[in-house]
């Protein structure tokens, strides 16, 4: 048995209940397709126990998901469990239920769901059978977190809730059973205070709180509030944090702390939905509309949707909060499935910012700036207020172009341009944002030799450069994926903004989310139209949410907040709704449009994507997959309720020399779609091998 106890050895089940006879265990392993295998074990072990088992020439960590009376194959062929891991409690029944649900709903093998959900130290054989133990890091970490937490924290004050906040907070705090609450609060309306109030009540009842946020590194304020107001300064372990940026040991420590109930609050990004929470009493999903809740590879789950499922399964309340709820959630509220609370006013004595549309069609623009925006920026600078320029495109310019022959900088491996970068460690280079390919900027045009190569369009770096020319004395900072690549650099940049050391901030959607900038008066939006005509039917919804979100950064504490949106299409419904801060009107219009054409939430979708060396292969595979149900009607009893669209190439067809196509599956009935997908996905594996394509099936895709 394991000799590297991470905590006290968990022994109640494995020693007290030891049966003298061998038993059979069904073990889930992280391998595709056939992912459960039977083994013989010399002792009885509870379901949820981690074990090391031989698999071919290898050894793997697996999880016992069943203890069958008889093995599924000839007992003589069944191998023995190598080692029973008792250093953590077995995974609980409810945790396994959620994993099983996710596997079934998202059409993945159970082993591919449960093992990747564990911290890597708990699923690596080497940690148990090699020289290094998983226990040593943890103890050191334990000590380190204690030290850090106790000195860096200063308490913040809880404000008195206003009537709107109070109604929502009290109602949520009083809930004992499951209910899904949609908290619709305009930006700055104080949703956080409502969450804190509800969380406090759950903690007081001795329960754990799961608090999900889209992006954790960007919300240090929230962590601070949770620590000082709820978790308690004295005992740092009562708050655990989980996100993908953690080191293995940190993730393990957080996992163990919540599993053994030491941590009472878990703050995390989407992956935290898979944390074991024995005393779960409340789930909060902040910015529920945010697309980062959807995992984009492997198990393509929606943490928001799983949160609602888990809340129902555990009979605990779930709070979904947003200024711009997803139309799916809004529709649930409209139909009475969710209970809705509205915070219509800002919590502080400030009004929502005034939104202005600048019609750029007849204006002479300078480097993408209208005279109106330049003037407004100057005025804010004079008043000592900060301004934010929002542009959702990083780099210097999206493409380099030869004026004489029309050559453009294409990526050799993708059907995409390479982006010109001028800032950062590698000054002046071309970079593909799809595959990472990098190249030097050519001195002359590779086709005609002309030396007049021009950057076309603009990204954040170019805007930053131009702002420095316009306002020579101003202190400018740029926040995007490039300027925040190093660990801690995002936090450092945001700290500078908060400390008032920045006058002009340029940023991508990284700056749009959640921040409470005290001295920010003006937000200018460049190039919003780029998102307006995207093919995806959710593009207007996303644009509306994003602009509301970024507009919400203006005038949170200072009076006279203002947002200037530059557009060629001011008459568009999205912009007109924004002018009036009219989410309700936008949602009503958006839902009615979707209803007419039968799109989600009035239909359910899945997307089958195929990747191959050549597009034709991918399309052939999809064509065959599409024909299959008609050829085998017995296997697909719900096929008549399903629409299978024609296979189409992806917008960016080739990425890193792989060509991609997709096929949309749709149904007005979720159960019919589920039944169809289960039968279909079973067949797709064989078909994909035959065609030599990589395929993946995504349920409830957000981008089509
Ligand atoms: P939201 O998440 O809804 O955009 P926040 O929770 O960030 O809004 O709150 C916006 C600001 O209002 C914060 O500075 C917060 O401290 C403050 N605030 C919240 N509730 C109150 C209140 N009842 N009275 C005074 N200020 C409040
Ligand atoms: Zn040329
Ligand atoms: Zn590329």
């Amino acid at each position: 048995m394991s000799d590297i106890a991470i905590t006290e050895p968990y022994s109640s089940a494995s020693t007290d209940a030891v049966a003298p006879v061998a038993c059979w265990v069904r073990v889930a392993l992280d391998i595709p397709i056939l992912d459960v295998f039977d083994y013989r074990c010399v002792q009885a072990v509870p379901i949820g126990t981690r074990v090391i088992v031989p698999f071919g020439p290898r050894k793997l960590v697996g999880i016992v998901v069943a203890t069958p009376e008889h093995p599924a194959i000839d007992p003589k062929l069944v191998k023995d469990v190598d080692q029973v891991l008792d250093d953590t409690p077995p995974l609980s029944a409810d945790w396994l239920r959620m994993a099983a649900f996710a596997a079934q709903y998202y059409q993945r093998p159970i082993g591919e769901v449960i093992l990747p959900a564990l911290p890597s130290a708990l699923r690596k054989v080497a940690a148990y059978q090699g020289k290094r133990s998983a226990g040593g890091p943890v103890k050191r970490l334990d000590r380190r977190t204690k030290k850090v937490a106790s000195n860096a924290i200063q308490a913040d004050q809880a404000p008195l809730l206003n009537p709107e906040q109070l109604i929502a907070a009290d109602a949520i705090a009083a809930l004992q059973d499951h209910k899904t609450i949609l908290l619709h609060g305009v930006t700055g309306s104080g949703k956080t205070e409502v969450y804190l109030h509800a969380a406090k009540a759950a903690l007081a009842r001795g329960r754990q709180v799961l608090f999900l946020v889209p992006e954790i590194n960007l919300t240090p304020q929230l962590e601070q509030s949770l620590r000082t107001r709820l978790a308690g300064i004295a005992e740092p372990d009562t708050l655990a944090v989980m996100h993908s940026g953690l080191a293995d040991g940190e993730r393990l420590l957080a996992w163990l702390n919540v599993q053994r109930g030491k941590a009472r609050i878990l703050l995390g990004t989407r992956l935290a939905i898979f944390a074991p929470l024995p005393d779960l009493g409340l789930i909060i999903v902040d910015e529920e509309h945010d697309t980062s809740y959807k995992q984009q590879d492997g198990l393509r789950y929606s943490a928001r949707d799983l949160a609602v499922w888990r809340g129902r399964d555990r009979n605990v309340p779930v709070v979904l909060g947003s200024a711009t709820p997803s139309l799916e959630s809004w529709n649930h509220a409209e139909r009475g499935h969710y209970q809705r609370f509205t915070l219509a006013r800002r919590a502080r004595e400030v009004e929502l910012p005034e939104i202005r549309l600048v019609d750029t069609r007849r204006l002479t623009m300078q480097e993408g700036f209208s005279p109106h925006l330049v003037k407004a920026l100057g005025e804010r600078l004079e008043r000592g207020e900060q301004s934010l320029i929002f542009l959702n495109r990083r780099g210097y310019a999206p493409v380099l172009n030869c004026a004489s022959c029309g050559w453009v900088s294409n990526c050799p491996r993708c059907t995409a341009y390479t982006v010109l970068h001028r800032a950062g460690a590698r000054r002046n280079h071309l970079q593909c944002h799809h595959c990472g390919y990098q190249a030097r900027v050519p001195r002359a045009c590779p086709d005609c030799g002309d030396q007049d190569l021009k950057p076309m369009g603009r990204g954040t770096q170019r805007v930053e450069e131009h702002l420095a020319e316009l306002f020579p004395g101003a202190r400018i900072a740029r926040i995007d994926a490039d300027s925040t690549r190093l660990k801690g650099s995002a936090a450092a940049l945001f700290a500078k903004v908060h400390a008032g050391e920045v006058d002009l901030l340029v940023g991508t959607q990284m700056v749009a989310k959640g921040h409470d900038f005290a001295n920010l008066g003006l937000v200018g939006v460049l190039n919003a139209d780029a998102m307006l005509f995207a093919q995806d039917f959710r593009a207007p919804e996303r644009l509306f949410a994003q602009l509301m979100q970024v507009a919400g950064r203006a005038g949170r504490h200072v009076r006279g907040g203002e947002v200037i949106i530059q557009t060629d299409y001011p008459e568009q419904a999205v912009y007109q709704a924004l002018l009036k801060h009219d989410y309700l009107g936008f949602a009503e219009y958006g839902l009615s449009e979707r209803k007419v054409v039968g799109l989600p939430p009035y239909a359910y979708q899945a997307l089958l994507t195929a990747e191959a060396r050549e597009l034709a292969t991918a399309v052939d595979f999809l064509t065959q997959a599409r024909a299959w149900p008609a050829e085998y009607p017995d296997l697909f009893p719900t096929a008549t309720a399903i629409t299978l669209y024609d296979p189409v190439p992806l917008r960016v067809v080739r990425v890193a020399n792989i060509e991609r196509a997709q096929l949309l599956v749709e149904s007005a009935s979720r159960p019919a779609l589920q039944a169809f997908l289960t039968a279909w996905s079973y067949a797709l594996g064989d078909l994909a091998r035959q065609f030599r394509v990589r395929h993946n099936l995504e349920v409830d895709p957000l981008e089509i």
Side-chain angles (χ1 to χ4, degrees):
M1 209 173 292
S2 159
D3 58 352
I4 46 113
I6 290 175
T7 61
E8 321 74 58
Y10 182 85
S11 53
S12 67
S14 44
T15 52
D16 303 353
V18 164
V21 292
C23 69
W24 310 108
V25 290
R26 188 153 297 158
V27 177
L29 298 172
D30 185 11
I31 48 175
I33 312 173
L34 278 176
D35 64 322
V36 289
F37 295 85
D38 290 351
Y39 290 89
R40 185 188 295 104
C41 194
V42 292
Q43 66 187 89
V45 292
I47 289 174
T49 302
R50 288 152 51 244
V51 289
I52 294 178
V53 293
F55 185 79
R58 294 184 293 165
K59 289 192 177 155
L60 295 173
V61 173
I63 291 167
V64 176
V65 291
T67 48
E69 296 240 328
H70 306 287
I73 55 166
D74 182 349
K76 287 202 277 297
L77 300 174
V78 175
K79 292 181 187 162
D80 287 320
V81 167
D82 208 65
Q83 192 175 343
V84 174
L85 303 176
D86 61 358
D87 52 358
T88 64
L91 290 154
S92 60
D94 79 279
W95 191 90
L96 288 165
R97 262 199 316 278
M98 175 174 61
F101 167 77
Q104 176 240 316
Y105 186 80
Y106 294 109
Q107 309 293 337
R108 302 291 289 199
I110 181 84
E112 279 189 40
V113 176
I114 51 183
L115 286 145
L118 301 182
S120 62
L122 296 183
R123 56 185 147 92
K124 276 197 187 130
V125 174
Y128 295 92
Q129 301 195 334
K131 286 203 183 82
R132 284 180 35 223
S133 86
V138 166
K139 283 194 189 109
R140 271 197 300 280
L141 269 166
D142 242 329
R143 253 176 272 138
R144 206 179 69 197
T145 33
K146 282 213 177 79
K147 227 188 243 145
V148 173
S150 50
N151 46 44
I153 283 175
Q154 24 160 300
D156 65 354
Q157 288 287 319
L160 231 49
L161 297 190
N162 64 39
E164 280 186 333
Q165 287 173 313
L166 210 55
I167 290 171
D170 284 346
I172 301 165
L175 289 174
Q176 303 276 351
D177 292 313
H178 169 69
K179 189 173 246 183
T180 302
I181 302 290
L182 182 61
L183 181 64
H184 174 223
V186 299
T187 53
S189 60
K191 293 184 286 294
T192 313
E193 291 301 326
V194 176
Y195 302 146
L196 292 176
H197 192 90
K200 197 169 193 165
L203 295 173
R205 283 200 291 270
R207 311 289 290 271
Q208 288 173 305
V209 175
L210 172 59
F211 199 136
L212 297 179
V213 289
E215 179 43 284
I216 220 159
N217 289 319
L218 305 181
T219 49
Q221 287 161 311
L222 178 62
E223 185 178 340
Q224 169 104 345
S225 297
L226 289 172
R227 259 192 212 291
T228 58
R229 306 251 300 266
L230 300 180
I233 297 173
E235 197 34 271
D237 281 351
T238 50
L239 174 75
V241 175
M242 263 187 209
H243 58 87
S244 57
L246 292 183
D248 287 354
E250 294 171 312
R251 175 115 174 249
L252 176 63
L253 181 64
W255 173 279
L256 294 174
N257 278 343
V258 287
Q259 190 183 25
R260 59 195 175 183
K262 206 168 167 189
R264 308 312 294 172
I265 306 170
L266 172 59
L267 172 64
T269 54
R270 61 173 181 258
L271 57 85
I273 191 62
F274 286 107
L277 291 150
D279 305 321
L280 183 63
L282 174 68
I283 307 179
I284 296 163
V285 184
D286 190 26
E287 311 289 4
E288 68 87 29
H289 66 278
D290 199 293
T291 50
S292 354
Y293 284 121
K294 184 87 197 243
Q295 166 96 359
Q296 289 301 342
D297 51 33
L299 178 77
R300 297 178 177 228
Y301 64 94
S302 155
R304 191 259 329 268
D305 294 350
L306 284 180
V308 173
W309 189 91
R310 193 175 189 185
R312 196 182 310 132
D313 182 65
R314 295 287 297 269
N315 193 28
V316 303
V318 179
V319 181
L320 309 178
S322 175
T324 53
S326 64
L327 290 184
E328 280 79 2
S329 296
W330 191 254
N331 187 49
H332 279 306
E334 290 282 289
R335 293 167 67 173
H337 302 164
Y338 296 173
Q339 186 176 357
R340 178 169 46 207
F341 289 97
T342 305
L343 310 179
R345 298 186 313 113
R346 281 197 155 175
R348 290 173 180 270
E349 296 282 302
V350 287
E351 295 302 313
L352 283 167
E354 188 188 337
I355 297 184
R356 284 168 59 198
L357 298 174
V358 171
D359 184 343
T360 43
R361 279 173 296 196
R362 283 171 214 84
L363 290 176
T364 315
M365 305 287 278
Q366 212 194 58
E367 281 283 334
F369 283 79
S370 64
H372 307 66
L373 183 52
V374 174
K375 182 160 169 279
L377 286 169
E379 285 168 6
R380 297 282 165 176
L381 269 175
E382 255 166 44
R383 280 154 61 175
E385 286 176 21
Q386 293 172 321
S387 298
L388 162 67
I389 296 296
F390 173 68
L391 171 63
N392 217 356
R393 188 188 269 159
R394 65 189 175 90
Y396 187 85
V399 60
L400 195 64
N401 169 257
C402 168
S404 38
C405 79
W407 172 89
V408 286
S409 58
N410 280 313
C411 174
R413 320 195 309 154
C414 308
T415 43
Y417 298 133
T418 49
V419 176
L420 178 63
H421 281 251
R422 282 197 172 157
R426 286 197 64 189
R427 288 182 68 80
N428 243 0
H429 69 285
L430 293 164
Q431 194 187 94
C432 174
H433 287 186
H434 294 273
C435 74
Y437 168 87
Q438 298 204 359
R440 235 180 253 263
V441 173
R443 275 183 217 288
C445 171
D447 283 359
C448 75
D450 196 301
Q451 305 222 335
D452 193 18
L453 295 178
K454 287 214 164 62
M456 303 274 283
R458 65 190 50 77
T460 44
Q461 293 173 9
R462 190 169 184 175
V463 167
E464 182 187 19
E465 182 184 281
H466 184 58
L467 282 174
E469 284 164 13
L470 281 175
F471 305 105
R475 296 162 301 173
I476 304 173
R478 171 170 54 86
I479 299 189
D480 56 26
D482 299 306
S483 71
T484 56
R485 197 140 282 162
L486 297 174
K487 202 175 175 180
S489 54
L493 276 169
F494 280 115
K496 273 178 84 169
V497 181
H498 286 295
E501 290 162 23
V502 171
D503 302 312
L504 299 173
L505 178 62
V506 183
T508 56
Q509 35 89 23
M510 279 184 79
V511 294
K513 292 180 187 176
H515 295 280
D516 196 23
F517 300 124
N519 194 32
L520 191 87
L522 172 71
V523 170
V525 181
L526 308 187
N527 205 25
D529 294 341
M531 273 179 74
L532 199 57
F533 299 109
Q535 289 169 0
D536 193 324
F537 72 88
R538 281 191 180 86
E541 181 184 348
R542 223 170 283 141
L543 177 61
F544 185 82
Q546 196 165 64
L547 292 186
M548 276 291 243
Q549 198 65 238
V550 70
R553 299 314 109 208
R556 289 169 79 86
H557 299 226
V558 294
R559 279 169 205 281
E562 182 186 17
V563 182
I564 293 180
I565 302 173
Q566 300 189 157
T567 171
D568 279 352
Y569 307 91
E571 69 287 345
Q572 285 283 323
V574 181
Y575 293 132
Q576 287 302 316
L578 272 165
L579 268 186
K580 294 176 277 176
H581 296 272
D582 185 15
Y583 172 80
L584 263 67
F586 180 76
E588 201 174 302
Y589 169 77
L591 281 173
S592 66
E593 251 192 355
R594 301 246 189 115
K595 193 167 196 169
V596 171
V597 285
L599 283 167
Y602 303 99
Y604 303 93
Q605 297 182 328
L607 194 62
L608 177 63
T609 306
E611 303 181 341
R613 284 272 163 216
E614 275 163 29
L615 180 64
T617 317
V619 171
D620 285 349
F621 161 78
L622 294 175
T623 307
Q624 187 61 42
R626 186 175 183 276
W628 200 301
E631 287 170 28
Y632 301 92
D634 294 353
L635 298 176
F636 298 93
T638 63
T640 50
I642 308 291
T643 306
L644 292 160
Y645 289 89
D646 285 331
V648 288
L650 261 72
R651 196 175 48 83
V652 180
V653 176
R654 182 162 36 91
V655 168
N657 290 326
I658 298 292
E659 305 200 322
R660 300 132 5 123
Q662 63 186 24
L663 182 166
L664 182 65
V665 188
E666 198 175 79
S667 175
S669 153
R670 200 197 288 271
L673 180 64
Q674 277 289 311
F676 175 85
L677 293 179
T678 302
W680 203 43
S681 63
Y682 198 74
L684 291 176
D686 277 342
L687 199 62
R689 270 187 294 281
Q690 200 181 315
F691 278 81
R692 299 194 180 176
V693 299
R694 279 187 52 177
H695 76 295
N696 74 68
L697 186 59
E698 178 170 6
V699 180
D700 302 331
L702 284 183
E703 272 172 81
I704 294 168

